[in-house]
């Protein structure tokens, strides 16, 4: 959570839920200076899914969370380490037996008491761990990506010689059963194989154990940071009215002092400026429909419905004496027909037959730290939910039935978690079902609700802020110019895409910056080589089909056979199935569509873009092309700059290096604590110290400079993301004519080539040679008319052709005479009185297509984003074979400073 997004320190904030998330949010708010914070907890117990108990002795038993998974970048691990709450040593550091953690101290038994061979177990578990690692690291082969996790594992294991061994499949079934506890699913056949790669595993040990205080000790740390009376217990929330300023009260609407009202089951209510809802997904699945007023947006309700939220339970058996050997870490149960066997699973998808053998979902019983006579069994999914309905004694009797052949003493006590039926949780944790886009749904869930009524502007209150800008002017890829007349031309960003939830659209609307000109030119003119005017009807049909195919990819509705293709191949194969592919000019118009789509993807070719990954971008609802008024994007910049004191922005300060953990960097022969842990050094050696630095440079700049820019070096996950994500170039070519030569109803002149660069055969023949440079101009889709400029056309060009075009001012055009070179927004653009060579080229291009009489080109304006040293491109795309969301999350993740910082001083770096 970013406290800067919460607003004034006087804001009233209510946190719903006193689990880890709720307590951590409140603690962070108090640390940031917010005082009016309340936590409403529905139950009589703090901690949520943290539940530390002492049922058998003075030592703890964890009914809920047990270990801290991962170390690097894990705030829970850092908190435990800082307060000496971790424990070392085998006796206290017990782990759950999983395929990746099997040791000779784990005893594997078949039905009937036969002890399995350790060698075979190790080989199968090792292979299973390798296979799951491939899925988690998004390295699955294309043929596996469309399968469920269970389906992928079965298919991959069947190719191993281990599948032919006597007990190979039985042990492999145990591995899958064990993996169900990580996924909280009824079966791995319900889980997506490709989507689990979107979970980011933190570096460091998976099983980091806590000391004798257990997880309660971490809860106590949070509680110590909260003032008394912050937490109100037994306050189950019934309703959250989250936009009262818009809600009609009686017959009139009126502004309220606080826009949110939280109503508890006992009708007690609390008003607030902000509410942070930290209840589980299980609770939302049960109550979200009635809990929020107005109703949650469809995107959130869909996410709540689509994401999986499973149950993982523990069964603790306390015996009168230990009956397992001293070297035994656990007893693992290998069934002849286990529930994760594909045939067994298939036979039990309908009906209640599985309830008779619910106990077969138990993987085994592990020994428990500090409890020499206690074993813990794990069970998941529907079997866990069924077990919760049984009496404790019945569960214990079934669990102690002979499996090992050892003499088993009496069970003296039983303790069972029942998370699935717990009314404050309704489960344990999430998983991503097969064929669900987990990241998209998670982001929809996490996105804050934009209040649809205007609230008072609020500031975060940070005073020590500086912005370092390398250029002489601000704006980055926003570059509003006036090269031809008093009216603007946008060399960079042109429109606002989407409305709902778009802060730029909101700013533009609130400040009346949107264009009110609703007039539309009626049509685009499509021309073939030689000037033939193509059929409007055919063009409309092909373009309509193309849009439908792109929408399928964007909305995750691709058929299985297409999901692992590049975007170009998917489009070609889909189009080939249409009768339009048989028309004379259908394929040519379709090539034009792909060329046009390249400008959306900023790619050299759609054959380099992932078909399935484009759905990871979330399109905001509302019009795609929202035009700005007469001042263009500069007007939005002016709004943002109005609230920024002029002394905060330092221009012409290109950053050379960011030393981001000075408390760890050795200075001379000693290390010493510094007042600020970050140092930003500019190219002129001027330096700035800070507590935090926000780096907002483009991915293009990072690709060029990240290796030398950061000290210490960025983590491998960030460097991999910088390398693997695509960052392409989109350029504009503005042609200003002495007079207009196109008809009044013409919106643009679109160029349909006989052999365009997005034709698969043409693309394939030009992947390695430079022949494409001779026909670079074929990447231009066409020339569109430009608002407020009746004699100007704008052409768009992308990818390698755009980069090559940027070099032509000197090398290829040759005789072009530069009349004026003007610096505007620190992007070098030229107003050129055209030489015969340049003028002839563009006139020939347009005349050869349209057959119209084309007047002289009086001026040319070209963007050169690919060679701009402060950008090196336009925007990102996801190449085929790259896990886009995972890489973008790695890139966006904050670098955890591993040393304490003092009073906040913040810097923003824009290079």
């Amino acid at each position: 959570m970013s406290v800067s997004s919460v607003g004034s320190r006087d804001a009233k904030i209510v946190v719903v839920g006193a689990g880890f998330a709720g307590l951590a949010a409140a603690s962070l708010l108090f640390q940031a200076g917010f005082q009016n914070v309340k936590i409403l907890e529905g139950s009589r117990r703090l901690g949520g899914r943290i539940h530390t108990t002492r049922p058998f002795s003075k030592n703890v038993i964890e009914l809920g969370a047990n270990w801290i998974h991962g170390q690097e970048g894990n705030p829970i691990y850092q908190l435990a380490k800082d307060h000496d709450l971790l424990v070392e040593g085998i006796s206290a550091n017990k782990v759950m037996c999983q395929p990746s953690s099997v040791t000779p101290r784990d005893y594997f038994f078949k039905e009937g008491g036969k002890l399995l061979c350790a060698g075979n177990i190790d080989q199968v578990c090792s292979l299973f761990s390798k296979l799951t690692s491939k899925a988690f690291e998004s390295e699955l082969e294309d043929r596996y990506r469309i399968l469920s996790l269970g389906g992928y594992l079965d298919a991959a294991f069947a190719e191993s010689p281990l599948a032919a061994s006597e007990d190979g499949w039985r042990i492999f079934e145990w591995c899958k059963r064990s993996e169900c506890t990580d996924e909280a699913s009824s079966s791995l056949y319900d889980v997506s194989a490709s989507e689990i790669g979107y979970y980011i595993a933190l570096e460091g040990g998976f099983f980091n154990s806590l000391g004798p205080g257990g997880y309660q000790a971490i809860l106590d740390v949070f509680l110590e940071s909260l003032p008394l009376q912050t937490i109100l217990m037994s306050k189950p929330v019934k309703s959250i009215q989250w936009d009262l300023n818009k809600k009609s009260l009686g017959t009139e609407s009126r502004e309220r002092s606080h826009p949110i009202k939280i109503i508890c089951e006992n009708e007690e209510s609390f008003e607030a400026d902000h509410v942070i809802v930290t209840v589980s997904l299980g609770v939302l699945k049960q109550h979200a429909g009635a809990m929020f007023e107005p109703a949650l947006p469809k995107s959130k309700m869909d996410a709540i419905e689509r994401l999986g939220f499973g149950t993982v339970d523990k069964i603790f058996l306390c015996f009168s004496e230990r009956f397992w050997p001293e070297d035994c870490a656990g007893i693992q149960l290998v069934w002849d027909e286990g529930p994760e066997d594909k045939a067994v699973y298939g036979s039990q998808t309908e009906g209640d037959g599985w309830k008779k053998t619910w106990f077969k979902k138990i993987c085994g019983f592990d020994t428990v730290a500090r409890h020499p006579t206690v074993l813990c069994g794990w069970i998941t999914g529907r079997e866990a939910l069924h077990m919760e309905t049984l009496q404790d004694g019945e569960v214990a009797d079934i669990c102690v039935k002979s499996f090992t052949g050892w003499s088993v003493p009496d069970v003296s006590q039983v303790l069972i978690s029942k998370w699935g039926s717990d009314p404050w949780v309704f489960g344990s944790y999430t998983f991503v079902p097969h064929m669900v886009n987990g990241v998209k749904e998670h982001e929809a869930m996490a996105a804050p609700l934009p209040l649809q009524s205007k609230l008072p502007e609020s500031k975060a209150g940070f005073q020590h802020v500086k912005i370092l800008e390398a250029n002489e002017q601000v704006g980055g890829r926003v570059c509003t110019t006036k090269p031809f007349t008093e009216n603007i031309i946008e060399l960079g960003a042109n429109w606002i895409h989407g409305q709902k939830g778009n802060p730029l659209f909101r700013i533009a609307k609130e400040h009346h910056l949107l264009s009110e000109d609703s007039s539309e030119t009626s049509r685009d003119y499509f021309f073939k080589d030689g000037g033939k005017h193509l059929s409007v009807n055919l063009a409309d049909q092909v373009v309509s089909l193309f849009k439908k195919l792109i929408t399928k990819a964007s909305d995750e509705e691709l058929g299985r056979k297409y999901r692992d293709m590049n975007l170009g191949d998917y489009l070609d194969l889909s189009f080939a199935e249409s009768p339009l592919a048989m028309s004379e000019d259908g394929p040519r118009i379709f090539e034009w569509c792909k060329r046009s789509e390249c400008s959306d993807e900023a790619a050299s070719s759609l054959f380099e873009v992932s078909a399935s990954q484009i759905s990871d971008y979330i399109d905001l609802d509302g019009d795609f092309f929202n035009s700005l008024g007469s001042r263009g994007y500069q007007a939005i910049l002016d709004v943002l700059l109005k609230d920024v004191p002029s002394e905060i922005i330092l221009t012409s300060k290109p950053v050379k290096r960011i030393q981001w953990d000075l408390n760890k960097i050795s200075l001379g022969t000693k290390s010493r604590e510094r007042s600020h842990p970050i140092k930003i050094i500019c190219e002129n050696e001027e330096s700035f110290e800070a507590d935090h630095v926000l780096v907002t440079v483009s991915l293009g700049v990072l690709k060029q400079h990240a290796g030398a820019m950061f000290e210490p070096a960025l983590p491998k996950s960030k460097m991999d993301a910088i390398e693997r994500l695509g960052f392409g170039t989109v350029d504009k070519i503005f042609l200003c004519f002495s007079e207009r030569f196109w008809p009044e109803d013409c919106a643009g002149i679109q160029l349909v080539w006989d052999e365009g660069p997005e034709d698969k055969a043409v693309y394939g023949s030009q992947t390695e040679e430079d022949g494409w440079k001779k026909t670079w101009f074929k990447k231009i889709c066409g020339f569109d008319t430009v608002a407020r400029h009746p004699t100007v056309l704008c052409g768009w060009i992308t990818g390698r052709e755009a980069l090559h075009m940027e070099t032509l001012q000197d090398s290829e055009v040759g005789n072009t005479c530069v009349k004026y070179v003007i610096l505007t927004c620190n992007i070098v653009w030229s107003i050129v009185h055209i030489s015969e060579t340049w003028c002839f080229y563009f006139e020939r291009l347009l005349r050869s297509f349209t057959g119209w009489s084309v007047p002289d080109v009086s001026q040319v304006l070209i963007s050169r984003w690919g060679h701009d040293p402060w950008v090196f491109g336009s925007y990102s795309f996801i190449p085929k074979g790259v896990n886009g969301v995972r890489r973008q999350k790695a890139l966006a993740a904050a670098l955890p400073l591993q040393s304490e910082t003092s009073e906040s001083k913040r810097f923003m770096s824009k290079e």
Side-chain angles (χ1 to χ4, degrees):
M1 180 188 66
S2 171
V3 294
S4 64
S5 65
V6 176
S8 167
R9 294 303 192 273
D10 296 325
K12 293 184 71 173
I13 304 169
V14 171
V15 179
V16 179
F20 245 30
L23 295 174
S27 177
L28 179 60
L29 288 168
F30 277 111
Q31 289 175 32
F34 294 91
Q35 299 300 317
N36 298 324
V37 180
K38 290 291 183 187
I39 304 176
L40 304 182
E41 168 56 43
S43 73
R44 298 178 182 177
R45 181 181 63 80
L46 297 174
R49 282 160 281 178
I50 302 296
H51 194 178
T52 305
T53 67
R54 289 180 168 82
F56 306 137
S57 67
K58 63 178 181 179
N59 293 317
V60 302
I61 287 286
E62 298 286 10
L63 269 177
N66 215 109
W67 298 279
I68 299 174
H69 298 308
Q71 300 175 2
E72 186 177 330
N74 189 333
I76 300 297
Y77 177 83
Q78 191 63 47
L79 191 67
K81 185 178 181 181
D82 291 344
H83 290 82
D84 297 319
L85 302 180
L86 297 167
V87 69
E88 308 244 342
I90 294 177
S91 61
N93 195 4
K94 301 285 187 180
V95 303
M96 176 186 179
C97 183
Q98 291 187 320
S100 59
S101 61
V102 167
T103 72
R105 299 172 64 242
D106 292 295
Y107 284 57
F108 281 74
F109 287 92
K110 289 173 63 176
E111 292 181 72
K114 181 182 177 182
L115 189 62
L116 287 170
C117 169
N120 200 19
I121 293 165
D122 289 344
Q123 291 181 66
V124 174
C125 289
S126 176
L127 175 58
F128 184 89
S129 297
K130 290 178 182 177
L131 295 177
T132 52
S133 291
K134 279 191 173 183
F136 279 110
E137 293 171 10
S138 299
E139 296 176 355
L140 292 183
E141 298 173 32
D142 289 350
R143 58 183 171 142
Y144 295 136
R145 291 184 59 81
I146 60 173
L147 302 178
S148 68
L149 183 56
Y152 150 64
L153 291 168
D154 284 351
F157 183 67
E159 297 175 359
S160 167
L162 293 170
S165 62
E166 180 182 357
D167 295 312
W169 278 105
R170 294 184 181 91
I171 299 169
F172 199 73
E173 187 278 336
W174 174 88
C175 292
K176 290 187 288 180
R177 220 180 329 138
S178 176
E179 183 67 23
C180 285
T181 61
D182 265 9
E183 304 303 327
S185 62
S186 284
S187 172
L188 297 191
Y189 299 108
D190 300 336
V191 177
S192 168
S194 59
E195 292 288 318
I196 63 172
Y198 293 126
Y199 288 102
I200 298 175
L202 301 179
E203 298 292 335
F206 189 74
F207 294 108
N208 297 285
S209 296
L210 290 157
Y215 255 105
Q216 182 62 46
I218 297 183
L219 280 181
D220 292 341
V221 172
F222 280 124
L223 293 172
E224 288 172 4
S225 69
L226 299 177
L228 294 175
Q229 311 304 319
T230 296
I231 305 173
L232 305 180
M233 306 296 293
S234 299
K235 301 290 183 186
V237 170
K238 178 175 69 174
S239 175
I240 298 174
Q241 298 175 350
W242 57 273
D243 200 359
L244 288 180
N245 280 350
K246 200 178 179 188
K247 184 180 178 183
S248 177
L249 302 176
T251 58
E252 297 181 354
S253 294
R254 62 181 178 88
E255 287 292 314
R256 297 176 59 94
S257 57
H258 304 289
I260 300 169
K261 187 176 184 180
I262 300 97
I263 304 171
C264 296
E265 292 287 352
N266 64 358
E267 301 303 330
E268 187 176 4
S269 63
F270 300 84
E271 291 193 338
D273 298 304
H274 306 277
V275 59
I276 302 174
V277 181
T278 69
V279 302
S280 74
L281 177 59
V283 169
L284 291 176
K285 282 179 176 288
Q286 293 286 330
H287 300 302
M291 183 184 263
F292 297 91
E293 185 182 342
L296 292 178
K298 185 176 183 297
S299 60
K300 285 189 178 289
M301 292 303 294
D302 286 348
I304 291 168
E305 178 185 351
R306 291 171 184 171
L307 289 171
F309 194 73
T311 297
V312 178
D313 278 323
K314 302 179 188 178
I315 305 167
F316 291 96
L317 304 178
C318 182
F319 295 90
S320 55
E321 59 180 328
R322 187 181 70 217
F323 64 89
W324 50 93
E326 284 279 354
D327 69 342
C328 178
I331 302 163
Q332 307 309 322
L333 315 179
V334 180
W335 305 98
D336 289 337
E337 294 182 349
E340 282 300 284
D341 179 282
K342 181 62 179 288
V344 174
Y345 169 80
S347 68
Q348 294 182 344
T349 51
E350 297 181 1
D352 290 341
W354 57 270
K355 290 183 178 180
K356 297 176 181 177
T357 56
W358 66 266
F359 52 87
K360 285 192 172 184
K361 199 56 174 282
I362 301 172
C363 301
F365 291 88
D366 302 318
T367 56
V368 180
R370 308 180 191 88
H371 289 274
T373 64
V374 176
L375 294 176
C376 175
W378 295 73
I379 186 170
T380 67
R382 64 183 181 181
E383 288 86 356
L385 289 171
H386 177 66
M387 180 215 61
E388 293 182 13
T389 67
L390 305 177
Q391 296 296 316
D392 288 0
E394 183 180 353
V395 173
D397 289 343
I398 292 175
C399 289
V400 299
K401 284 183 178 179
S402 178
F403 204 95
T404 63
W406 297 337
S407 176
V408 179
D410 293 337
V411 175
S412 58
Q413 289 176 272
V414 179
L415 180 64
I416 300 173
S417 67
K418 294 180 178 178
W419 294 110
S421 53
D422 185 319
W424 313 117
V425 184
F426 288 116
S428 300
Y429 38 93
T430 60
F431 66 93
V432 182
H434 187 39
M435 301 306 290
V436 170
N437 184 324
V439 173
K440 180 180 179 182
E441 306 303 350
H442 277 129
E443 289 183 346
M445 279 278 292
L449 281 174
L451 292 182
Q452 296 163 4
S453 52
K454 188 175 187 294
L455 298 179
E457 292 290 336
S458 57
K459 311 292 183 244
F462 294 101
Q463 300 298 317
H464 304 291
V465 179
K466 292 289 183 186
I467 300 176
L468 305 182
E469 167 56 46
N471 218 327
E472 295 178 1
Q473 299 289 335
V474 300
R477 280 160 281 180
V478 171
C479 187
T480 306
T481 69
K482 294 180 179 179
F484 305 138
T485 67
E486 73 277 5
N487 292 319
I488 64 162
I489 288 286
E490 297 285 11
L491 268 179
N494 214 109
W495 299 279
I496 298 175
H497 298 306
Q499 299 176 357
K500 190 173 182 181
N502 188 332
L504 289 182
F505 180 81
R506 180 179 60 82
I507 290 173
K509 185 175 181 180
E510 289 176 355
H511 291 82
H512 307 292
L513 303 179
L514 295 169
S515 173
E516 297 180 357
D517 183 7
S518 60
S519 62
E520 295 183 2
T521 310
S522 61
R523 55 183 289 200
D524 289 290
Y525 282 60
F526 284 77
F527 289 93
K528 288 174 62 176
D529 287 285
K532 181 183 176 182
H533 189 189
L534 288 172
S535 162
V536 174
N537 182 51
L538 179 61
D540 286 346
Q541 291 182 67
V542 174
V543 170
S544 177
L545 174 59
F546 184 87
K547 288 178 179 178
K548 289 178 181 177
L549 296 176
I550 285 292
T551 299
K552 277 192 174 183
S554 299
D555 292 348
E556 301 179 276
E557 296 176 359
L558 292 182
R560 288 190 174 187
K561 65 178 180 178
Y562 299 129
R563 288 186 60 81
D564 296 303
M565 293 181 179
N566 62 60
L567 185 55
D569 280 344
Y570 150 65
L571 291 168
D572 282 353
L573 287 174
S574 299
F575 182 67
E577 298 173 358
S578 166
L580 293 170
M582 302 302 294
S583 62
E584 179 182 358
D585 295 312
R588 294 184 181 91
I589 299 172
F590 199 74
E591 187 277 337
W592 174 89
C593 291
K594 289 188 291 179
R595 218 178 334 136
S596 177
E597 184 66 21
C598 285
S599 64
D600 266 7
E601 304 301 329
S604 284
S605 173
L606 298 191
F607 297 108
E608 299 170 9
V609 177
S610 169
S612 60
Q613 295 279 312
I614 65 170
S615 64
D616 294 329
Y617 291 101
I618 298 175
D619 289 328
L620 301 179
D621 291 337
D623 292 340
F624 188 74
F625 293 110
N626 296 282
S627 297
L628 289 158
S630 59
R631 293 163 55 210
Y633 255 102
Q634 183 62 45
I636 295 184
L637 280 181
D638 292 341
V639 171
L640 297 176
L641 290 169
K642 185 173 62 175
D643 291 329
V644 179
S646 58
E647 65 272 14
I648 281 181
I649 303 175
L650 305 179
T651 57
S652 299
K653 300 290 183 186
V655 170
K656 178 172 69 175
R657 186 175 302 111
I658 299 173
Q659 297 175 341
W660 57 273
D661 201 355
L662 287 179
N663 283 348
K664 285 191 74 178
I665 295 176
S666 177
L667 302 176
T669 57
K670 296 181 180 180
S671 295
R672 63 180 177 86
E673 288 292 314
R674 299 176 58 94
S675 57
H676 304 291
I678 300 171
K679 187 176 184 180
I680 300 99
I681 304 170
C682 296
E683 291 288 351
N684 65 357
E685 301 301 330
E686 187 177 4
S687 63
F688 302 83
E689 291 193 341
D691 297 309
H692 307 278
V693 60
L694 307 180
V695 181
T696 69
V697 300
S698 74
L699 178 58
V701 169
L702 291 176
K703 283 179 175 287
Q704 293 286 330
H705 300 301
M709 190 178 199
F710 297 90
E711 184 183 348
L714 292 178
K716 184 176 183 297
S717 61
K718 284 189 178 289
M719 291 303 294
D720 285 349
I722 291 168
E723 177 185 353
R724 295 180 184 182
L725 288 171
F727 194 73
T729 297
V730 178
D731 278 322
K732 302 178 187 177
I733 304 166
F734 290 95
L735 306 179
C736 183
F737 294 88
S738 55
E739 60 181 327
R740 188 180 68 213
F741 63 90
W742 50 93
E744 286 281 352
D745 69 344
C746 178
I749 302 163
Q750 309 309 325
L751 315 180
V752 179
W753 305 96
D754 287 337
E755 294 182 350
E758 282 300 286
D759 180 282
K760 181 63 180 285
V762 174
Y763 171 79
S765 68
Q766 296 181 342
T767 52
E768 295 183 0
E769 300 177 359
D770 286 345
W772 57 269
K773 290 184 178 179
K774 298 177 182 178
T775 56
W776 64 268
F777 51 85
K778 284 192 172 185
K779 200 55 173 284
I780 300 172
C781 301
F783 292 88
D784 301 320
T785 56
V786 180
R788 307 179 192 88
H789 289 273
T791 64
V792 175
L793 294 177
C794 175
W796 295 71
I797 187 169
T798 66
R800 63 183 181 181
E801 289 86 356
L803 289 171
H804 178 66
M805 184 267 314
E806 293 182 13
T807 69
L808 294 182
Q809 183 175 349
D810 294 325
S811 62
E812 196 68 23
V813 178
N815 294 324
T816 302
C817 178
V818 176
K819 187 73 175 181
Y820 304 100
V821 178
I822 300 176
L823 292 175
T824 301
C825 288
N826 284 277
I827 302 299
V828 179
W829 54 270
S830 303
I831 297 180
V832 183
H833 281 272
I834 302 301
S835 69
E836 290 183 1
T837 303
W838 188 257
C839 181
F840 173 71
Y841 166 71
F842 280 116
E843 289 174 9
R844 183 182 65 181
L845 179 62
L846 288 169
R847 285 175 180 148
S848 67
F849 265 83
T850 64
W852 297 338
S853 176
V854 179
D856 292 340
V857 175
S858 58
Q859 292 174 274
V860 174
L861 178 65
I862 301 172
S863 66
R864 288 182 169 85
W865 294 110
H867 288 84
D868 186 312
W870 315 124
V871 185
F872 288 115
S874 301
Y875 37 92
S876 64
F877 66 93
I878 303 174
K880 183 183 180 298
V882 173
N883 184 326
V885 174
R886 180 183 180 190
R887 299 303 174 189
Q888 287 171 342
K889 280 197 167 186
L891 198 57
L895 282 174
L897 290 182
Q898 297 163 5
S899 51
E900 293 292 322
T901 62
S902 57
E903 180 187 358
S904 285
K905 183 183 287 185
R906 294 182 175 226
F907 277 83
M908 296 181 70
S909 170
K910 176 69 178 75
E911 185 175 25

